Amino acid sequence: GITLWNFGSGRAPDECHLVEMLSSNKTVLRYNGNTYPGWRSDIPRNLFHTYYKAKPQLLQILPYTKPPDIVVHLRAPDGKTDLDRGLDEESLEYLGTLLSGNGTYLVTNRPDFYKRFHECCDWSYDQAWEDRPIRHGALAIAWGADGRRISGKEYTSSTTNSTDRKGEQNLKMWSDWYTMLTAKKVYHSNSDFSRSAAHWNADCQGYQLHGMTLKKVNGTYIKTLNLIDAPYDAVTTRIPALVERQWPTDGIVHKEDECTFLRFCHPHPKPSTVKDPDRPAISDEVKANMLPKAINALKEQAFSNQNIIPNHPVAPKEINGHSIDSAVMSNDTERLLLFRGVMKGQGAGNILQGLLAAHLFGLEFNRTVCNLWKDFNAVFEYINDDHAEKCQDAQLKARSVPASNKLDMWNFAGVADECAAYDILASKHPLVTFSGNTYPGWRSDIPTNLFHQYYRAKPILKEALPYSTAPNLVVHLRAPDGAGDNDRSIDDESLDHLGQLLKNEPVYLVTNRPDFYKRFHDCCGWSFDEQWNGKPIRHLATNLQWGADGNKTKYKKLPSSQYNDTMQDEQNIKMWSDWYTMLNAKTVYHSNSDFSRSAVHWNAESTGHQLFGMGQVGNKWTLRLKAAPYDETNTRIPTLVERQHPAKFVNDDACVFLRHCRNPAKH
């Protein structure tokens, strides 16, 4: 079965898993949901009528002989959290004047609107419902003839709520939807009921009402109705169908924002190579019918953003017609982005990814990043004195930042609302705080030498480095934290192959398994920090440590008041020494770890190779290596500041647009 909803946890679907299920040999699949993973921009014409036709009981109640070409749908909101700016009095009066005439047909759950718009504007409607309450099909509420919302209990007591009456309300709902489905134009307030009709009909033009706005005409601002095209007409770059998207190479998670790839995939190989009976393989028969023509057409289109988005190192004053606050471009305004470094149970590698995101935001939106992460600041300092001065009182300033200026972005908390992130960062507010471990659609063009433009190691860290010349080749082997954090790359067979692959190379080993030091020094001549040979190594985000024998045990974490004791401080310095070593390396081989991935990510000139255990590569059983995830993007992903606001309503899947926006109407 497949379940796919655009609400709930907010997590985007694993598209690899969807393709597996849909293209499998299973004869029957169950689907439950309300969305498609990255809406296609090419809905086939006449799709609904290709599969369905109205039954006689629906056709008989349609209140017209010829379907209307222009339909207006005005939906009263369900409650206080479902407000609709398109239903204020000024907007309704303007809409009536705009569409005055008997060519307009009205669909609404407010019976009082029928008479109002018929008398003022000559709109037609289903006269059988002029003085009758209209019930919400999914909720126990209704709207009376006077436009007042009434509860389900009141509705039940005031009307004959028989099975026939329920059926009548149901038929009325489908009559309204079918009317919009067959229309050529639909003007509607905020409602998925009307949006779905416009979406099904590729020949229909939908316009959502967004209240009144000021528009400049011939140098003069005039007040007018703010109409936005239907969301699925907002795509200017074609989004490939799900079946056309490429499988992540070797089954590894590809960059999750590349439009042409299957996204948000948990690591697993292609179905055709899987022996697990619970994971179906794609049959040759199914493959033969998987839109080969469409796939070839996609390749011919040279699908790329490079010709659409210019390469701006910092925020331009205008991106594709969308103006940015003038304050963003002003160097005279103090604009700070306070990175809080909140751990939320995450290791240092995760938070270092967040710090990288903060500096990318700073570059794009002209904000100085002030790093409030105490552990980091214990071993690193700002290079620039002006930078340090601007951030001198940042900790105190952070306490005064209102909730509206706080940005949180975690890769385990669902996809980010990019419109909200953009608005906060581009605003005139001098202080914005950021907590998180990710960037919304990682840029593929990390600036060279970025870390060393802002930070340098303090003497306490420099003195702890166990070498005079930084190693160019580093291997990082991280033992997993627990059963849910398994790593196929540190089994004995994989480690033996890795040792042979890099035997007698100038390898420097970083690991949380002290027993690996001697093992790889004896077999392969690798160097390491010898002062940690035989000493336990702690995981600072959990209460775990690994002893000289490689066994994992728990230790008692110290209270914060005793944090800087010798043992804890020594472990902290060791962790930063390891990360700094990887940051400065030219090549890093690593097991599954954000600690090493973050170092490779920060260093645009470093090459990372993640270990994925043993497997079949061609005709050879060998160690599988995968390039670092941030090195595998061939198509440039626009920076956040370059992405366009969804000018038409919402399009959360085109790479050139801001995505996953929960409240795009404000734009």
Side-chain angles (χ1 to χ4, degrees):
I2 297 171
T3 302
L4 205 58
W5 300 95
N6 63 4
F7 57 83
S9 68
R11 288 192 176 277
D14 180 334
E15 296 181 5
C16 293
H17 176 67
L18 286 175
V19 169
E20 276 187 300
M21 294 297 292
L22 292 165
S23 57
S24 71
N25 291 325
K26 292 182 182 293
T27 55
V28 178
L29 287 177
R30 183 186 69 253
Y31 170 69
N32 193 23
N34 71 343
T35 191
Y36 178 99
W39 279 109
R40 295 171 48 171
S41 52
D42 57 344
I43 305 299
R45 299 181 68 181
N46 207 36
L47 184 62
F48 184 90
H49 299 289
T50 302
Y51 295 103
Y52 304 105
K53 62 182 179 183
K55 287 185 175 181
Q57 56 263 48
L58 177 57
L59 294 174
Q60 289 168 6
I61 68 162
L62 296 176
Y64 45 74
T65 54
K66 180 184 177 183
D69 289 338
I70 300 175
V71 176
V72 171
H73 176 224
L74 301 177
R75 165 192 170 269
D78 303 332
K80 293 181 180 179
T81 59
D82 182 27
L83 300 177
D84 195 319
R85 293 184 304 168
L87 292 181
D88 60 278
E89 285 299 315
E90 188 177 12
S91 297
L92 292 178
E93 289 178 9
Y94 198 101
L95 179 67
T97 303
L98 177 69
L99 300 177
S100 180
N102 59 10
T104 301
Y105 183 92
L106 176 62
V107 168
T108 185
N109 58 351
R110 281 274 301 268
D112 58 313
F113 281 172
Y114 288 139
K115 186 177 181 181
R116 168 178 178 166
F117 285 99
H118 179 69
E119 292 180 351
C120 80
C121 314
D122 203 23
W123 292 3
S124 59
Y125 60 95
D126 188 347
Q127 296 181 11
W129 289 86
E130 182 175 7
D131 297 315
R132 298 169 58 183
I134 299 176
R135 190 173 186 272
H136 192 296
L139 302 174
I141 53 176
W143 285 264
D146 58 357
R148 183 176 61 89
R149 193 175 75 164
I150 55 180
S151 67
K153 184 177 180 181
E154 184 180 353
Y155 170 74
T156 301
S157 62
S158 63
T159 185
T160 307
N161 195 22
S162 64
T163 302
D164 289 342
R165 177 57 59 86
K166 288 181 179 178
E168 197 174 21
Q169 291 274 355
N170 196 49
L171 278 175
K172 187 260 190 295
M173 177 189 74
W174 287 113
S175 168
D176 287 346
W177 188 81
Y178 193 69
T179 299
M180 290 187 288
L181 172 73
T182 54
K184 293 181 179 178
K185 291 184 179 180
V186 177
Y187 293 80
H188 62 88
S189 54
N190 181 26
S191 170
D192 281 304
F193 189 59
S194 39
R195 273 197 295 267
S196 63
H199 199 183
W200 264 100
N201 184 356
D203 291 323
C204 176
Q205 180 64 56
Y207 301 97
Q208 183 163 334
L209 315 176
H210 281 274
M212 302 300 291
T213 188
L214 289 174
K215 289 188 177 180
K216 195 172 185 179
V217 179
N218 297 326
T220 303
Y221 284 97
I222 62 170
K223 204 169 188 181
T224 185
L225 188 63
N226 188 15
L227 294 174
I228 298 180
D229 291 354
Y232 313 109
D233 294 334
V235 182
T236 55
T237 303
R238 179 177 177 272
I239 307 303
L242 184 64
V243 75
E244 296 174 276
R245 298 173 199 168
Q246 303 173 48
W247 197 279
T249 309
D250 296 332
I252 310 309
V253 182
H254 232 280
K255 181 171 180 60
E256 63 180 16
D257 304 282
E258 180 78 71
C259 284
T260 57
F261 282 87
L262 293 167
R263 305 164 305 158
F264 313 110
C265 296
H266 298 293
H268 57 256
K270 286 186 180 181
S272 57
T273 65
V274 173
K275 298 178 181 179
D276 182 355
D278 293 330
R279 185 178 291 149
I282 301 178
S283 69
D284 292 337
E285 182 180 356
V286 172
K287 284 181 187 176
N289 293 300
M290 285 174 59
L291 299 182
K293 293 181 179 179
I295 293 173
N296 290 333
L298 175 68
K299 294 176 181 177
E300 292 172 3
Q301 287 180 14
F303 189 84
S304 171
N305 294 326
Q306 292 179 3
N307 296 326
I308 302 172
I309 302 296
N311 185 13
H312 294 287
V314 294
K317 293 185 179 179
E318 188 174 272
I319 298 293
N320 295 315
H322 179 84
S323 296
I324 300 172
D325 247 327
S326 58
V328 175
M329 300 309 300
S330 172
N331 292 320
D332 299 328
T333 306
E334 184 186 71
R335 296 169 52 76
L336 301 182
L337 179 60
L338 311 179
F339 179 70
R340 296 176 59 210
V342 178
M343 299 298 283
K344 281 202 172 185
Q346 303 300 297
N350 255 292
I351 309 307
L352 283 160
Q353 297 277 34
L355 181 59
L356 173 58
H359 279 282
L360 295 177
F361 292 147
L363 284 172
E364 295 171 31
F365 293 91
N366 196 28
R367 288 186 178 272
T368 298
V369 176
C370 295
N371 189 352
L372 308 183
W373 187 8
K374 291 182 179 179
D375 285 354
F376 181 93
N377 293 334
V379 293
F380 295 107
E381 61 187 357
Y382 300 116
I383 287 179
N384 189 288
D385 291 338
D386 290 339
H387 189 165
E389 186 176 347
K390 282 185 178 181
C391 297
Q392 188 173 6
D393 300 322
Q395 194 75 47
L396 290 174
K397 292 176 179 177
R399 299 175 186 175
S400 65
V401 177
S404 59
N405 294 1
K406 293 180 179 179
L407 181 62
D408 284 87
M409 203 173 290
W410 301 92
N411 62 7
F412 53 78
V415 291
D417 180 336
E418 295 183 9
C419 288
Y422 185 109
D423 289 344
I424 291 173
L425 292 165
S427 70
K428 294 180 180 178
H429 300 302
L431 298 178
V432 169
T433 65
F434 170 59
S435 297
N437 68 346
T438 191
Y439 177 103
W442 278 108
R443 294 170 47 169
S444 52
D445 58 343
I446 305 299
T448 303
N449 204 36
L450 185 62
F451 185 89
H452 297 291
Q453 290 180 30
Y454 295 103
Y455 303 105
R456 63 187 170 204
K458 287 184 175 180
I460 192 174
L461 177 57
K462 288 182 178 179
E463 292 167 3
L465 298 175
Y467 45 75
S468 55
T469 303
N472 289 326
L473 178 58
V474 177
V475 170
H476 177 223
L477 300 176
R478 165 190 171 271
D481 303 336
D485 181 28
N486 291 326
D487 194 322
R488 294 174 297 167
S489 64
I490 60 169
D491 61 280
D492 279 329
E493 186 180 11
S494 299
L495 293 178
D496 287 343
H497 271 71
L498 178 65
Q500 290 303 310
L501 176 68
L502 300 177
K503 188 173 183 178
N504 298 323
E505 294 287 337
V507 174
Y508 181 90
L509 177 61
V510 169
T511 184
N512 59 350
R513 282 275 301 267
D515 57 314
F516 284 172
Y517 288 140
K518 188 174 188 302
R519 170 176 178 167
F520 286 98
H521 178 72
D522 291 349
C523 80
C524 313
W526 295 2
S527 61
F528 60 95
D529 188 347
E530 295 183 8
Q531 67 170 316
W532 287 88
N533 189 15
K535 294 172 66 173
I537 299 175
R538 292 181 177 180
H539 189 296
L540 296 181
T542 66
N543 62 339
L544 300 174
Q545 66 180 7
W546 286 262
D549 57 0
N551 288 327
K552 181 174 63 177
T553 58
K554 292 184 178 181
Y555 70 92
K556 185 177 180 181
K557 295 187 73 174
L558 294 169
S560 58
S561 60
Q562 304 175 33
Y563 182 80
N564 288 321
D565 81 322
T566 303
M567 178 63 176
Q568 195 82 2
D569 191 55
E570 188 180 38
Q571 292 277 349
N572 200 47
I573 293 294
K574 189 260 190 298
M575 177 191 75
W576 288 113
S577 169
D578 287 345
W579 187 81
Y580 193 64
T581 299
M582 291 188 287
L583 172 72
N584 294 311
K586 292 182 179 178
T587 305
V588 179
Y589 289 81
H590 62 89
S591 53
N592 181 27
S593 171
D594 279 303
F595 190 58
S596 37
R597 272 197 293 265
S598 64
V600 175
H601 201 182
W602 264 98
N603 185 355
E605 296 181 328
S606 173
T607 300
H609 302 281
Q610 184 166 335
L611 316 175
F612 280 90
M614 302 299 293
Q616 196 78 27
V617 179
N619 297 321
K620 187 178 180 181
W621 180 259
T622 187
L623 181 64
R624 293 181 300 165
L625 299 171
K626 177 67 178 172
Y630 312 110
D631 292 337
E632 61 187 29
T633 306
N634 296 320
T635 302
R636 179 176 177 271
I637 306 303
T639 64
L640 181 67
V641 78
E642 294 174 292
R643 297 173 204 169
Q644 303 173 45
H645 269 285
K648 312 267 178 144
F649 175 69
V650 174
N651 167 41
D652 60 8
D653 304 285
C655 285
V656 296
F657 284 89
L658 292 165
R659 305 161 307 153
H660 314 295
C661 297
R662 297 177 180 86
N663 186 24
K666 63 193 269 190
H667 305 293

